[in-house]
Amino acid sequence: MPVDVCGHEWELEEWLTTWVAEDAQALLQALEKEDVELSVALTDDAGIRQLNQSWRDKEAPTDVLSFPQDFPGLLGDLVISVDTAQVQADQRNHS
Protein backbone atom coordinates (compact mmCIF):
# COMPACT_ATOMS: atom_id res chain seq x y z
CA MET A 1 0.00 0.00 0.00
CA PRO A 2 2.31 2.73 -1.16
CA VAL A 3 1.49 6.27 -0.15
CA ASP A 4 3.39 9.03 -1.92
CA VAL A 5 3.45 12.39 -0.13
CA CYS A 6 4.79 15.54 -1.75
CA GLY A 7 4.49 19.30 -1.62
CA HIS A 8 2.70 21.02 -4.48
CA GLU A 9 5.18 23.70 -5.57
CA TRP A 10 7.07 23.61 -2.24
CA GLU A 11 9.27 21.21 -0.33
CA LEU A 12 8.09 19.38 2.76
CA GLU A 13 10.09 18.63 5.84
CA GLU A 14 10.79 14.92 6.28
CA TRP A 15 8.85 14.62 9.56
CA LEU A 16 5.70 15.96 7.88
CA THR A 17 6.03 13.63 4.90
CA THR A 18 6.44 10.65 7.25
CA TRP A 19 3.55 11.70 9.48
CA VAL A 20 1.10 12.15 6.57
CA ALA A 21 2.20 8.88 4.92
CA GLU A 22 1.78 6.90 8.15
CA ASP A 23 -1.69 8.35 8.80
CA ALA A 24 -2.76 7.67 5.21
CA GLN A 25 -1.47 4.10 5.41
CA ALA A 26 -3.36 3.53 8.67
CA LEU A 27 -6.55 4.85 7.07
CA LEU A 28 -6.14 2.62 4.02
CA GLN A 29 -5.54 -0.36 6.27
CA ALA A 30 -8.67 0.41 8.31
CA LEU A 31 -10.66 0.62 5.07
CA GLU A 32 -9.14 -2.67 3.90
CA LYS A 33 -7.62 -0.90 0.89
CA GLU A 34 -4.11 -2.18 1.48
CA ASP A 35 -3.50 -3.16 -2.15
CA VAL A 36 -3.81 0.33 -3.66
CA GLU A 37 -1.56 3.32 -4.21
CA LEU A 38 -2.47 6.81 -3.00
CA SER A 39 -0.78 10.14 -3.63
CA VAL A 40 -1.13 13.06 -1.22
CA ALA A 41 0.03 16.56 -2.15
CA LEU A 42 0.14 19.32 0.46
CA THR A 43 -0.13 22.90 -0.73
CA ASP A 44 -1.21 26.35 0.38
CA ASP A 45 -4.39 28.27 -0.48
CA ALA A 46 -2.79 29.82 -3.58
CA GLY A 47 -1.83 26.41 -4.93
CA ILE A 48 -5.19 24.77 -4.30
CA ARG A 49 -7.02 27.84 -5.67
CA GLN A 50 -5.10 27.39 -8.93
CA LEU A 51 -5.97 23.69 -9.11
CA ASN A 52 -9.59 24.37 -8.18
CA GLN A 53 -9.81 26.89 -11.03
CA SER A 54 -8.17 24.53 -13.52
CA TRP A 55 -10.18 21.43 -12.66
CA ARG A 56 -13.48 22.71 -11.29
CA ASP A 57 -13.73 26.21 -12.74
CA LYS A 58 -14.02 27.63 -9.20
CA GLU A 59 -11.76 30.55 -8.38
CA ALA A 60 -11.50 30.02 -4.63
CA PRO A 61 -9.43 27.91 -2.28
CA THR A 62 -10.91 24.75 -0.80
CA ASP A 63 -9.73 22.32 1.83
CA VAL A 64 -9.29 19.16 -0.27
CA LEU A 65 -9.41 18.18 -3.92
CA SER A 66 -9.59 14.52 -4.87
CA PHE A 67 -8.73 12.98 -8.19
CA PRO A 68 -9.80 9.33 -8.41
CA GLN A 69 -7.90 7.07 -10.77
CA ASP A 70 -9.52 4.52 -13.04
CA PHE A 71 -6.60 2.10 -13.04
CA PRO A 72 -6.25 -1.12 -11.08
CA GLY A 73 -4.15 -0.58 -7.96
CA LEU A 74 -4.34 3.22 -8.08
CA LEU A 75 -6.79 4.79 -5.66
CA GLY A 76 -6.09 8.36 -6.69
CA ASP A 77 -4.61 11.69 -5.68
CA LEU A 78 -5.53 14.00 -2.81
CA VAL A 79 -4.49 17.63 -2.64
CA ILE A 80 -4.83 19.27 0.78
CA SER A 81 -4.52 22.98 1.54
CA VAL A 82 -2.51 23.26 4.74
CA ASP A 83 -3.71 26.87 5.13
CA THR A 84 -7.39 25.94 5.03
CA ALA A 85 -6.83 22.84 7.16
CA GLN A 86 -5.22 25.03 9.83
CA VAL A 87 -8.13 27.50 9.79
CA GLN A 88 -10.63 24.64 10.10
CA ALA A 89 -8.63 23.03 12.92
CA ASP A 90 -8.53 26.35 14.80
CA GLN A 91 -12.29 26.82 14.35
CA ARG A 92 -12.90 23.33 15.79
CA ASN A 93 -10.26 23.61 18.54
CA HIS A 94 -8.20 20.79 17.00
CA SER A 95 -4.45 20.73 16.64
Side-chain angles (χ1 to χ4, degrees):
M1 122 186 81
V3 175
D4 179 43
V5 179
C6 67
H8 176 72
E9 298 187 5
W10 41 285
E11 287 188 44
L12 300 178
E13 294 185 34
E14 187 174 337
W15 69 267
L16 182 56
T17 301
T18 301
W19 180 63
V20 171
E22 287 174 354
D23 279 0
Q25 288 170 345
L27 179 60
L28 291 174
Q29 187 175 17
L31 294 172
E32 299 179 357
K33 297 283 187 183
E34 298 177 58
D35 58 342
V36 297
E37 184 176 330
L38 174 67
S39 295
V40 180
L42 302 179
T43 190
D44 57 13
D45 276 350
I48 209 161
R49 179 185 295 116
Q50 179 184 19
L51 292 169
N52 206 18
Q53 174 67 37
S54 296
W55 290 95
R56 299 179 63 226
D57 202 26
K58 296 182 184 262
E59 194 170 333
T62 187
D63 52 356
V64 177
L65 291 172
S66 62
F67 300 94
Q69 298 293 319
D70 193 21
F71 299 101
L74 295 178
L75 187 58
D77 304 318
L78 292 177
V79 182
I80 301 170
S81 170
V82 176
D83 294 339
T84 300
Q86 184 63 59
V87 168
Q88 291 174 344
D90 291 344
Q91 290 172 342
R92 294 173 177 97
N93 296 318
H94 293 205
S95 57

